[in-house]
């Protein structure tokens, strides 16, 4: 009897739904919330994700997985405390290949999940992006900047889906009182990125590992600011538990040109291949760097892992992959992307 009573006094673990769980960021978030003692429900349709990223979680009692497309009605039995909506193609090559699914998961998918959050009285955090700023005229980008986006260009399917996602999330917050959080994620990297997703870091490291030339798009003077995945996850964890419902930038403000970045990868990998230059894809942002003053003052957050450290960890991951997965790159995708 005493045992029964003391069992019922144990607080129930919080239940969290993570969409895009089999992807790069979703899988790291699953790891973090499992480690914090949450009951984690992963959901993914595997369109750009890989079960290998969460294979190690299937034996855990506090993890379950639904193979489901969130652009269709989402049902989760039982209570739900939090939703992290990370499902969406995220690399320019992916969203060029599957533009309609990209629009749907950002719009219909977000609507479905907000409906679920409302029904369950759950707090929902959405993964927005620095792409809402488009090709920015202001550098660094503060959250107040409205952006410079071409809605009908190749990146429009992603950028506008994410802008709609922010708008509908804010509307559910304002009109239905749903507890919402919006993180604007800047270029993040780390283990479990897909080697053939076309993003610049897996592209360069994959080329070095396969003994191919490294492809810079344009003259390499465009800039990006790369954040290591553990830092991002910490920022998201803090934002979710804060009471801040306006959009918040999370990223590493250490800005670098793509040419310098390529040279760092050449040094890191020791490749003897040369750099080759291709056309710059349409609407490729010329500069990108987060203003993180809000994250610093409201969450007490700032990135801790510098690029040298983060790149070493990421390179070790790619080196550990089999020869078979190294060969997976689809060259035809590069050819159609930057013509
Ligand atoms: P990813 O492609 O590795 O992961 C996305 C996951 O979502 C994949 O597992 C994919 O299968 C899944 N998915 C896509 N459509 C789905 C659908 N309709 N239903 C269910 N699952 C679906 O990409 P990522 O880098 O992990 O990005 C995750 C999220 O973070 C995305 O929303 C992306 O826009 C956002 N984001 C990422 C970055 C970054 O630098 N990695 C930057 C800004 C924003
Ligand atoms: N890029 C490049 N070579 C590649 C892949 C990408 O020079 O093989 C450039 C791309 O044109 C962009 C930057 O690297 O300027 C970052 O591209 P990514 O696709 O990683 O993300 P983005 O920040 O553009 O969404």
């Amino acid at each position: 009897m005493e045992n029964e009573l003391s069992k019922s006094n144990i607080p129930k673990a919080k239940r969290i739904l993570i969409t895009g769980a089999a992807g790069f960021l979703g899988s790291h978030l699953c790891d973090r919330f499992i480690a914090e003692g949450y009951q984690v429900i992963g959901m993914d349709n595997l369109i750009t994700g890989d079960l290998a990223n969460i294979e190690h979680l299937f034996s855990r009692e506090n993890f379950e997985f639904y193979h489901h497309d969130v652009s269709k009605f989402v049902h989760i039995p039982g209570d739900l405390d939090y939703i992290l909506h990370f499902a969406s193609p995220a690399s320019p090559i992916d969203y060029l290949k599957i533009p309609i699914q990209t629009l749907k998961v950002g719009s219909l998918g977000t609507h479905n999940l907000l409906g679920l959050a409302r029904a369950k009285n759950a707090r929902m955090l959405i993964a927005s992006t620095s792409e809402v700023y488009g090709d920015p005229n202001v550098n660094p980008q503060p959250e107040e900047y409205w952006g410079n986006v071409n809605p009908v260009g190749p990146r429009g399917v992603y950028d506008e889906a994410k802008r709609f996602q922010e708008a509908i999330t804010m509307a559910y917050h304002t009109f239905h009182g749903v507890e919402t959080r919006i993180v604007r994620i800047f270029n993040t990297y780390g283990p479990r990125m897909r080697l053939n997703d076309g993003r610049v870091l897996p592209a360069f490291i994959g080329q070095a590992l396969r003994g191919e030339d490294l492809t810079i798009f344009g003259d390499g003077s465009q800039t990006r600011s790369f954040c290591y995945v553990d830092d991002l996850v910490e920022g998201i964890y803090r934002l979710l538990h804060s009471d801040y419902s306006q959009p918040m930038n999370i990223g590493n403000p250490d800005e670098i040109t793509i040419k310098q970045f390529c040279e760092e990868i050449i040094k890191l990998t020791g490749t003897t291949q040369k750099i080759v230059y291709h056309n710059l894809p349409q609407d490729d942002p010329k500069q990108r760097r987060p203003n993180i003053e809000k994250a610093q003052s409201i969450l007490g957050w700032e990135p801790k892992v510098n690029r040298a450290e983060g790149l070493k960890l990421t390179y070790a991951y790619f080196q550990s992959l089999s020869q078979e997965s190294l060969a997976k790159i689809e060259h035809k995708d590069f050819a159609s992307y930057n013509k």
Side-chain angles (χ1 to χ4, degrees):
M1 181 66 179
E2 209 173 284
N3 255 352
E4 294 271 303
L5 272 181
S6 47
K7 250 191 219 162
S8 66
N9 285 338
I10 298 173
K12 256 178 54 193
K14 297 273 183 204
R15 255 178 127 217
I16 183 166
L17 169 66
I18 302 181
T19 76
F24 162 48
L25 297 182
S27 65
H28 284 280
L29 287 163
C30 287
D31 284 346
R32 174 66 188 262
F33 281 87
I34 294 256
E36 298 281 351
Y38 286 67
Q39 193 71 37
V40 174
I41 305 163
M43 184 173 282
D44 204 296
N45 68 350
L46 304 179
I47 195 165
T48 62
D50 192 337
L51 280 181
N53 290 333
I54 46 171
E55 201 59 59
H56 59 288
L57 296 179
F58 281 85
S59 58
R60 303 289 298 249
E61 249 179 36
N62 54 342
F63 181 72
E64 44 186 322
F65 179 74
Y66 289 80
H67 184 192
H68 181 69
D69 178 347
V70 301
S71 301
K72 309 217 166 86
F73 183 79
V74 181
H75 173 69
I76 297 289
D79 294 342
L80 206 53
D81 301 290
Y82 300 104
I83 299 174
L84 298 184
H85 181 26
F86 277 67
S88 170
S91 90
I93 283 187
D94 284 343
Y95 54 76
L96 276 183
K97 271 202 279 191
I98 42 175
I100 313 293
Q101 288 95 326
T102 302
L103 280 159
K104 282 169 76 175
V105 72
S107 54
L108 306 181
T110 305
H111 188 204
N112 289 336
L113 292 159
L114 283 164
L116 181 69
R118 188 177 171 213
K120 302 278 186 186
N121 204 14
R123 180 179 294 183
M124 172 151 150
L125 179 147
I126 58 153
S128 188
T129 164
S130 50
E131 279 287 314
V132 299
Y133 303 122
D135 185 3
N137 299 319
V138 170
N139 200 44
Q141 295 86 54
E143 288 86 349
E144 291 75 20
Y145 178 52
W146 289 357
N148 176 36
V149 172
N150 175 3
V152 293
R155 301 173 87 105
V157 292
Y158 182 68
D159 300 7
E160 295 297 357
K162 291 291 184 181
R163 288 167 71 99
F164 174 86
Q165 182 181 46
E166 288 198 7
I168 192 171
T169 298
M170 207 38 101
Y172 264 69
H173 176 70
T174 311
F175 293 102
H176 291 314
V178 175
E179 283 251 34
T180 54
R181 305 287 179 266
I182 300 175
V183 58
R184 290 187 181 152
I185 302 167
F186 283 66
N187 296 65
T188 300
Y189 69 97
R192 303 189 195 147
M193 289 187 98
R194 214 172 78 239
L195 204 50
N196 65 348
D197 81 1
R199 283 184 270 196
V200 68
L201 180 139
F204 287 165
I205 292 189
Q207 287 159 346
L209 286 172
R210 289 186 305 273
E212 297 167 3
D213 291 339
L214 285 83
T215 54
I216 288 187
F217 299 165
D219 62 5
S221 63
Q222 70 272 35
T223 66
R224 293 295 184 271
S225 307
F226 295 97
C227 181
Y228 188 65
V229 62
D230 290 357
D231 281 333
L232 178 83
V233 166
E234 179 62 31
I236 289 169
Y237 193 83
R238 290 188 191 199
L239 177 61
L240 180 70
H241 294 104
S242 77
D243 57 9
Y244 192 74
S245 54
Q246 293 296 309
M248 184 174 290
N249 290 340
I250 299 281
N252 188 325
D254 186 3
E255 186 178 5
I256 185 176
T257 69
I258 293 301
K259 174 103 189 290
Q260 288 168 322
F261 187 62
C262 188
E263 282 158 359
E264 286 188 1
I265 301 286
I266 289 175
K267 204 163 157 215
L268 172 77
T269 59
T271 177
T272 52
Q273 300 294 317
K274 59 182 189 306
I275 296 177
V276 291
Y277 292 88
H278 290 263
N279 292 337
L280 191 66
Q282 187 190 333
D283 300 338
D284 196 290
K286 284 179 279 305
Q287 52 187 357
R288 186 182 284 155
R289 173 184 181 179
N291 174 321
I292 59 164
E293 283 166 21
K294 283 200 172 48
Q296 284 169 319
S297 62
I298 296 169
L299 307 179
W301 174 90
E302 57 186 17
K304 297 265 181 299
V305 182
N306 67 33
R307 215 171 36 249
E309 269 174 89
L311 286 180
K312 238 198 233 166
L313 295 166
T314 310
Y315 182 46
Y317 165 77
F318 283 124
Q319 281 179 305
S320 74
L321 296 178
S322 65
Q323 281 303 316
E324 202 181 66
S325 43
L326 284 185
K328 265 201 229 158
I329 193 116
E330 296 166 43
H331 294 269
K332 62 177 170 28
D333 291 334
F334 285 101
S336 60
Y337 175 45
N338 58 355
K339 71 182 173 210

